[in-house]
Amino acid sequence: MKTINFFKITILFFVLCFNQSHANERVNTLDKAKTKPVNDTLKLNKRKNTKVTFAVTPPVLKATGDQLYCPQTNIKIVETFSLTHDPLETGTQAAYIQVSSGYSSGFDILSLSNTLAHPTIVTDWDPVAGKLTLSKVGGGDVLYSDLEAAIKDVVFSNSSATASGTRTFSITVGQANYLPSTGHYYLYVPSIGITWTAAKIAAETSNYYGLKGYLATLLSADEAKLSGEQASGTGWIGGSDQETEGVWKWVTGPEAGTVMSYTFWNTNEPNNLGNEDYAHITQPGVGIRGSWNDLSNSGSLTPGDNYQPKGYVVEYGGSPGELPLEIAASTKITIPVATALTPNPICDSGSFTINATATSGATISWYDQTTGGTPLATGSSFTTPVINTTTTYYVDAGCESNRKSVVAVVNKTPTTPAVASSNVSRCGPGSVNLQATTNVGFINWYTNATGGIPVFSGNNFTTPTISSNAVYYAEASNNSCLNTNRTAVNISIYTPPVVTDEEVPLCQNQKKIIDAGISGMTYLWSTGATTQTIEVGTGGTYTVDVTSPAPEGCTSRKTIKVEEHEIPQIDRIDVNGTRVVIYLKKEQDYFEYSVDGTNFQDSNVFYDVPGGLQTAYVREKSGCGGTAKNFVVLVFPAFFTPNNDTFNDFWEVTGMENYPQAQVTIFDRYGKLLAQLSISRMSWDGTFNKTPLPASDYWYALKIDNTQPVLRGHFSLKR
């Protein structure tokens, strides 16, 4: 029976018999263990001449090595290494050295140096896993002594000049990957199409040098990278949210029942597509390498599909009651990096004290060139000589390829600002553009001669609106170096001449004097004239720029609209009873009207005009002239009362006297001619043949002449 232990046990020697017939008897359980990688166990030594069963102590690997490494060089991964083994077992199938944390694929390489000294050893480098295998040339077991010697000559190199960080190396004689940060072992087991539950059972029934297996619980980035990105395939791990949807827990191993605090899900995962309750490392080429997704218990059933399970990851170590194995050892190298703090700039000249930190154990060196050279100083602090220009220094922690620059900045104190003009003026409220220059740096503008905060930074400053005299100050600054001598710029605000635009009438065929309105100024008219007044004979828009004397020199523009006014001409006068409308040949809004020569109005319509000969008057409002025309208003009384009371005793047409040829014919309701009025007889007394007619309505017809229509109407006779 095969017995696996973590500590050395007493060799049990059972002598059953010394019989040549049993000399070649093999132990089946041992042979079975040799054929199953998951149960990677030590071999037992078989003695041909005795029927003996031995319990073999696992080998013990011890290594030291915490070294500093410069990129693009080679370094042995161990400083000391020993491999102690049971005398009954002198060799094993292979040894494995892996970059178990910090691995940089494509740049990190493990290899065997001095190969001529190890003729029995053949190497195999797996760049995906970052793993170097040492095995026997031609196959079979390789002696532990040969492995020990070879491991001492394994070297690490990185081809990138900018490499950084720490690399941890695991050295083991077992096939499982060893992670020094956890002390656990991780083995990927290929099994196409295996379900999560079957993988869980298979993992839990396996052991590794006596350590109980379980589906891996990956609690850190190191574990996730080693089991995912650096693993040989994709497969199940021990996470599930089958108990409560969306609450992912580790359900295997020592962490069973704990909620995942670290996860490495692929983009948009977990998505619970199709009741996916189990965690699975994503197949290479699907999203983020080595990341996780959620699958159903069976995953995809399509052969070759990206989401068809390809195997599972078993973790060994950490189970209750287990003692740690010593079949693995670890070392590490650190790429030393010095980080310098950029010193504060100084003004004009001085020395700097530059401080730096570096990887533990590294020596900091200071240089004045990017490569090579003799160190100016060593240590975490470096004081420069007095310098008056910006100077670059360099620092490294032993690796020239990681040499970093640090700049000691020396700023010049700028000269006192030179302004474009120390006295600036403008006419009326508004903004002013101020300009100042200095030899280096830039200009800050202040409203105070000292102190205060800048209102603007820049060589060209447009002030806010200023309505009264003000002073601004320019100060030169070059980063933290100030020239505190401020240059003043005085701003004067002058009041422009006050002008008032005008509208001036010009009588037709006359001339007019127009005036700028302010004396003691200089003038420039749109006509080119430079006098205060000018004479114009035509209408139009005239402008004059009125400029105040020096030092103000402010200009205001006055606009004078000259409107040429015509003399009115009456076209006709329409009279309708006592309503009169005066029509002109050309209407203008600057004309006004009257029917008595005294009272004028803008309207050309008049009401209740007295009867008789009247005169219509039309004139231009500003006095350019006017015209008049007579017209007659005929008034036909609506009634009369011939009762000899001296009031309305006669019916007569007022204004008829102005028409000598006019005739008025009066009729009764039956059309009987009763009377005829003319220039010789202007009124009717209400009789016919001297007989008074009764009260009634009577009709009239007025014929002025043959050129005008007959006017007809009626009136009442009242008694």
Side-chain angles (χ1 to χ4, degrees):
M1 176 177 180
K2 180 177 179 181
T3 304
I4 301 175
N5 298 288
F6 301 102
F7 52 87
K8 190 170 183 179
I9 60 174
T10 304
I11 300 175
L12 301 178
F13 181 78
F14 300 96
V15 179
L16 302 178
C17 65
F18 296 89
N19 191 315
Q20 184 65 35
S21 63
H22 298 123
N24 297 322
E25 184 173 349
R26 312 289 285 178
V27 179
N28 293 333
T29 58
L30 182 61
D31 293 340
K32 187 179 297 182
K34 280 187 176 182
T35 62
K36 293 186 178 181
V38 175
N39 297 316
D40 191 358
T41 59
L42 298 176
K43 305 182 302 300
L44 298 180
N45 192 24
K46 278 64 122 186
R47 303 300 181 96
K48 293 184 179 180
N49 297 323
T50 59
K51 186 175 182 181
V52 181
T53 300
F54 297 98
V56 179
T57 302
V60 174
L61 280 64
K62 294 185 179 297
T64 62
D66 186 355
Q67 307 174 80
L68 299 178
Y69 168 74
C70 291
Q72 298 181 319
T73 64
N74 294 330
I75 188 172
K76 290 185 178 181
I77 65 167
V78 299
E79 292 181 283
T80 65
F81 177 73
S82 64
L83 193 161
T84 305
H85 59 90
D86 193 301
L88 298 180
E89 184 174 60
T90 59
T92 188
Q93 185 177 1
Y96 307 93
I97 302 95
Q98 184 172 29
V99 184
S100 54
S101 64
Y103 178 57
S104 179
S105 179
F107 298 100
D108 290 350
I109 296 177
L110 292 172
S111 61
L112 179 62
S113 66
N114 194 18
T115 55
L116 294 179
H118 308 285
T120 64
I121 301 296
V122 63
T123 62
D124 179 30
W125 168 245
D126 182 348
V128 175
K131 193 172 188 178
L132 179 70
T133 301
L134 305 180
S135 57
K136 184 176 182 181
V137 174
D141 288 347
V142 58
L143 294 176
Y144 283 129
S145 57
D146 290 347
L147 287 177
E148 181 178 4
I151 289 170
K152 292 177 180 179
D153 281 340
V154 171
V155 295
F156 167 81
S157 65
N158 180 287
S159 58
S160 172
T162 59
S164 62
T166 298
R167 307 290 189 271
T168 301
F169 307 107
S170 64
I171 308 165
T172 180
V173 294
Q175 292 183 11
N177 296 332
Y178 174 67
L179 186 62
S181 62
T182 63
H184 293 188
Y185 300 83
Y186 306 83
L187 186 66
Y188 174 74
V189 181
S191 182
I192 301 297
I194 190 171
T195 65
W196 184 88
T197 51
K200 179 176 182 293
I201 293 171
E204 292 172 350
T205 57
S206 67
N207 66 83
Y208 186 71
Y209 287 94
L211 299 181
K212 177 177 175 55
Y214 52 90
L215 279 185
T217 57
L218 310 180
L219 311 182
S220 67
D222 277 355
E223 285 189 284
K225 183 173 182 179
L226 188 67
S227 300
E229 183 179 336
Q230 291 182 243
S232 58
T234 176
W236 297 112
I237 56 176
S240 173
D241 71 341
Q242 193 273 334
E243 178 181 346
T244 303
E245 182 61 39
V247 179
W248 283 87
K249 295 181 179 180
W250 296 113
V251 295
T252 59
E255 289 76 33
T258 61
V259 176
M260 292 180 177
S261 59
Y262 169 83
T263 58
F264 186 40
W265 295 108
N266 200 355
T267 304
N268 299 322
E269 299 289 351
N271 57 17
N272 195 36
L273 185 63
N275 196 28
E276 297 176 331
D277 293 334
Y278 302 96
H280 186 269
I281 295 177
T282 305
Q283 180 163 304
V286 179
I288 304 170
R289 182 173 176 82
S291 61
W292 312 342
N293 68 317
D294 54 337
L295 292 179
S296 63
N297 184 57
S298 63
S300 173
L301 300 178
T302 303
D305 185 79
N306 286 338
Y307 300 98
Q308 180 192 30
K310 306 299 191 299
Y312 54 96
V313 180
V314 187
E315 182 176 354
Y316 301 95
S319 295
E322 291 182 341
L323 295 177
L325 288 174
E326 293 183 284
I327 64 167
S330 67
T331 60
K332 71 175 181 178
I333 61 100
T334 301
I335 300 172
V337 176
T339 302
L341 299 177
T342 301
N344 293 326
I346 63 172
C347 299
D348 301 318
S349 67
S351 64
F352 293 80
T353 297
I354 309 174
N355 296 305
T357 58
T359 306
S360 177
T363 299
I364 297 174
S365 298
W366 302 88
Y367 298 86
D368 57 6
Q369 56 194 63
T370 56
T371 59
T374 302
L376 303 174
T378 59
S380 60
S381 181
F382 167 52
T383 300
T384 73
V386 174
I387 57 176
N388 56 19
T389 58
T390 297
T391 304
T392 302
Y393 293 95
Y394 303 89
V395 61
D396 67 36
C399 293
E400 183 178 292
S401 60
N402 277 342
R403 191 171 291 180
K404 302 291 191 303
S405 63
V406 57
V407 181
V409 177
V410 178
N411 293 318
K412 297 293 184 184
T413 298
T415 59
T416 300
V419 296
S421 176
S422 59
N423 292 289
V424 180
S425 64
R426 69 161 287 123
C427 296
S431 60
V432 179
N433 182 258
L434 307 181
Q435 297 180 348
T437 57
T438 185
N439 61 330
V440 291
F442 58 93
I443 303 298
N444 286 322
W445 296 89
Y446 296 83
T447 56
N448 309 89
T450 59
I453 59 174
V455 294
F456 183 78
S457 294
N459 289 20
N460 293 283
F461 170 39
T462 300
T463 71
T465 298
I466 301 174
S467 57
S468 60
N469 295 348
V471 181
Y472 282 91
Y473 300 87
E475 180 184 82
S477 172
N478 183 24
N479 293 319
S480 58
C481 300
L482 301 177
N483 185 327
T484 56
N485 296 319
R486 296 181 181 177
T487 302
V489 179
N490 298 291
I491 302 172
S492 299
I493 304 298
Y494 298 125
T495 301
V498 179
V499 296
T500 303
D501 293 342
E502 292 183 65
E503 292 186 2
V504 176
L506 174 64
C507 297
Q508 190 174 17
N509 301 321
Q510 296 183 21
K511 292 187 177 181
K512 185 90 173 182
I513 300 295
I514 56 177
D515 193 338
I518 305 176
S519 61
M521 306 285 168
T522 58
Y523 313 93
L524 180 61
W525 291 86
S526 54
T527 62
T530 58
T531 56
Q532 181 177 335
T533 62
I534 62 172
E535 184 179 70
V536 295
T538 58
T541 299
Y542 297 85
T543 61
V544 56
D545 290 336
V546 181
T547 304
S548 58
E552 291 91 342
C554 294
T555 299
S556 297
R557 174 165 289 187
K558 178 175 181 175
T559 300
I560 303 175
K561 293 183 178 180
V562 177
E563 186 175 18
E564 192 170 354
H565 288 188
E566 301 177 352
I567 302 300
Q569 297 181 49
I570 297 176
D571 182 39
R572 72 181 190 277
I573 300 173
D574 287 351
V575 180
N576 185 5
T578 61
R579 179 178 179 272
V580 176
V581 180
I582 304 172
Y583 290 100
L584 303 181
K585 290 184 178 180
K586 186 176 182 180
E587 303 286 345
Q588 298 289 357
D589 57 5
Y590 50 79
F591 292 153
E592 57 185 0
Y593 307 83
S594 176
V595 292
D596 61 8
T598 300
N599 300 301
F600 283 84
Q601 63 183 43
D602 290 336
S603 174
N604 64 338
V605 180
F606 295 87
Y607 299 91
D608 300 321
V609 178
L613 179 63
Q614 304 292 343
T615 302
Y617 301 90
V618 183
R619 69 184 183 185
E620 193 272 335
K621 293 180 180 179
S622 63
C624 288
T627 186
K629 186 176 182 179
N630 293 331
F631 64 95
V632 175
V633 176
L634 298 174
V635 178
F636 299 89
F639 67 94
F640 76 111
T641 58
N643 54 11
N644 297 317
D645 61 356
T646 70
F647 294 102
N648 300 318
D649 286 337
F650 298 95
W651 186 86
E652 61 181 336
V653 179
T654 304
M656 181 177 170
E657 65 274 15
N658 295 291
Y659 299 105
Q661 298 179 355
Q663 290 183 344
V664 178
T665 305
I666 299 173
F667 305 88
D668 64 9
R669 69 176 60 199
Y670 303 107
K672 180 180 179 180
L673 177 63
L674 301 177
Q676 192 170 38
L677 306 181
S678 64
I679 191 67
S680 59
R681 181 186 176 189
M682 298 294 294
S683 62
W684 179 51
D685 60 3
T687 64
F688 180 71
N689 294 331
K690 299 183 180 182
T691 301
L693 295 175
S696 181
D697 286 338
Y698 296 87
W699 277 259
Y700 67 87
L702 170 63
K703 180 179 180 183
I704 296 175
D705 55 33
N706 293 328
T707 63
Q708 298 187 47
V710 175
L711 300 178
R712 301 178 188 276
H714 64 90
F715 60 93
S716 297
L717 188 156
K718 297 183 179 180
R719 299 266 180 200

